[in-house]
Amino acid sequence: MSPVRLADVRRIASGRGRKPSDADGIAIEQALREYRSQAGPPLSPFSLEVDGRPYTSFLDALDDSSASFRTARLRLSEPPADPESWRFLRPWSSIDLGSDGSAQFLAPKGAPDRALARFRLVDRYDPGRGVRMPPQLGGPFPLAAFVAWMRDRSILPLGIVLDLYFPSERIRYPLDLVRGVALPDRRAGRLPEARFVRRPTRVSWELDRRLAGGELSPIAVRTLETLAEVNGASEAELESWVGGSVRESLKVLTQSHLATQDTAAGTYHLQLEALMRPASRTSSSAGSAVAGSALREGVTELLAAAEARATCPLCGDLLPPGYTRLLCAKCEGEVGGVSRAPR
Ligand SMILES: [Zn+2]
């Protein structure tokens, strides 16, 4: 995919309720320059087809009101061969997004796989105010709903995340829409692999809903993302992995009971019970039994806490106790190969 052109962004921004001016052009140019200066090295450029038609950029497709985004195909043009580039990711060569919110996942090597696909906004430009903005949080959405949500709000996305929920794990793929490239995982080269903890898909699902829910600042989102996939970390460690000051974020996360601090060890931990039992949902027996307990991170506790309310996101059926997958067995069957055994 080609990098997005300034003229395109200008045209797209102006098509959204305002007349373009020289000042707009300067503001857009500055926002894009700032975005590029903060963006790290890419993983690979990607190409995009929407409704079976090729587009030069995601923004072009977003701007084309005839593009429904019911289906789309992402293809990496230069997938790297070295495993180092793919740290914390599953290597892919193409991803077909279906109208049912599922994805057909093709790896450079190995059998194809199926996943549930959801999108989140992480960086955007606000044409109305002429500034680059932290995301207006929402979602995570299936692709067509994501696009409709952005079109309704005249959002110009600069960076988005594609979350793929495989039966055994969720993988998070950041996409840079300004340069038209897929990005490596932000933690690659920072977070030692030995510290990384892959959560069951159901846990990641709840986590991502919380991340997108609009309650947390962008830096708190990154702190929680990072904290969620390690077994505890100090403030200094989190700062080096997140790449910025996390003190305020840790305060907010502990106050909202998403994290606890082990004062003796000087470490912070994800509070899984709080994550799996959002305050907005009705509490039941498991809540009071684990309330106030610190530093419980075992999958057993986590699943015990989740069981009371876990439902299938597609059909809403209650899931059986101990179930770690996202979809119920019936829906897994209907979506297609999602019921494959975990790797
Ligand atoms: Zn279901």
Side-chain angles (χ1 to χ4, degrees):
M1 176 164 283
S2 339
V4 66
R5 292 178 310 164
L6 177 63
D8 289 338
V9 181
R10 231 172 142 160
R11 174 177 51 76
I12 294 164
S14 67
R16 294 170 170 234
R18 306 176 64 236
K19 281 207 147 129
S21 68
D22 287 348
D24 288 337
I26 292 166
I28 292 166
E29 194 170 358
Q30 188 179 338
L32 294 186
R33 198 184 309 124
E34 180 188 286
Y35 179 87
R36 286 199 180 94
S37 74
Q38 291 169 3
L43 188 71
S44 161
F46 67 88
S47 64
L48 174 72
E49 275 177 29
V50 175
D51 306 337
R53 292 200 301 273
Y55 284 87
T56 55
S57 77
F58 189 96
L59 292 189
D60 256 355
L62 186 68
D63 190 43
D64 176 2
S65 56
S66 76
S68 74
F69 282 84
R70 278 174 51 79
T71 64
R73 167 175 292 172
L74 300 170
R75 187 174 295 166
L76 283 192
S77 42
E78 301 155 21
D82 63 313
E84 201 59 25
S85 306
W86 290 107
R87 195 164 283 236
F88 307 120
L89 301 175
R90 261 201 213 185
W92 63 282
S93 49
S94 80
I95 296 172
D96 278 358
L97 299 153
S99 56
D100 60 356
S102 73
Q104 173 84 34
F105 180 88
L106 218 63
K109 290 179 211 161
D113 208 347
R114 301 273 294 181
L116 213 66
R118 293 292 183 268
F119 288 84
R120 245 178 342 114
L121 187 63
V122 291
D123 207 322
R124 70 186 172 117
Y125 177 77
D126 185 326
R129 283 180 256 191
V131 288
R132 193 174 148 220
M133 303 271 295
Q136 179 176 349
L137 294 162
F141 299 105
L143 180 60
F146 182 56
V147 166
W149 178 76
M150 290 192 291
R151 283 174 172 164
D152 280 354
R153 287 161 183 75
S154 298
I155 289 172
L156 258 176
L158 304 180
I160 61 175
V161 160
L162 165 59
D163 286 317
L164 287 187
Y165 301 87
F166 294 96
S168 56
E169 60 182 351
R170 182 263 285 116
I171 309 276
R172 179 173 285 146
Y173 293 100
L175 301 174
D176 174 342
L177 305 183
V178 174
R179 294 181 295 168
V181 296
L183 297 170
D185 188 296
R186 185 196 289 278
R187 297 164 298 185
R190 290 179 170 166
L191 176 69
E193 196 134 40
R195 299 292 297 276
F196 175 68
V197 180
R198 180 76 73 199
R199 302 295 182 188
T201 305
R202 175 146 293 280
V203 176
S204 301
W205 175 260
E206 294 297 340
L207 172 68
D208 297 343
R209 284 156 56 114
R210 184 57 74 99
L211 294 174
E215 305 149 29
L216 300 171
S217 70
I219 182 80
V221 164
R222 276 161 56 192
T223 306
L224 182 57
E225 273 179 357
T226 307
L227 189 61
E229 294 180 341
V230 295
N231 272 327
S234 70
E235 182 182 329
E237 286 175 328
L238 284 166
E239 292 201 339
S240 71
W241 301 336
V242 169
S245 171
V246 299
R247 181 156 299 179
E248 270 311 304
S249 301
L250 287 171
K251 203 183 283 177
V252 168
L253 294 177
T254 45
Q255 276 165 3
S256 53
H257 306 291
L258 288 167
T260 53
Q261 186 185 14
D262 180 341
T263 41
T267 51
Y268 290 84
H269 297 254
L270 177 69
Q271 183 73 345
L272 284 171
E273 294 88 344
L275 183 68
M276 299 305 283
R277 308 188 58 75
S280 58
R281 295 181 190 164
T282 44
S283 66
S284 67
S285 55
S288 51
V290 296
S293 69
L295 314 184
R296 289 200 197 185
E297 294 203 77
V299 168
T300 316
E301 283 94 342
L302 148 77
L303 292 173
E307 266 164 26
R309 48 145 302 279
T311 55
C312 171
L314 283 192
C315 69
D317 281 2
L318 279 173
L319 297 173
Y323 197 78
T324 60
R325 294 177 174 207
L326 187 58
L327 303 182
C328 73
K330 188 186 65 182
C331 289
E332 279 204 356
E334 282 171 11
V335 169
V338 177
S339 57
R340 288 154 47 89
R343 301 178 168 190

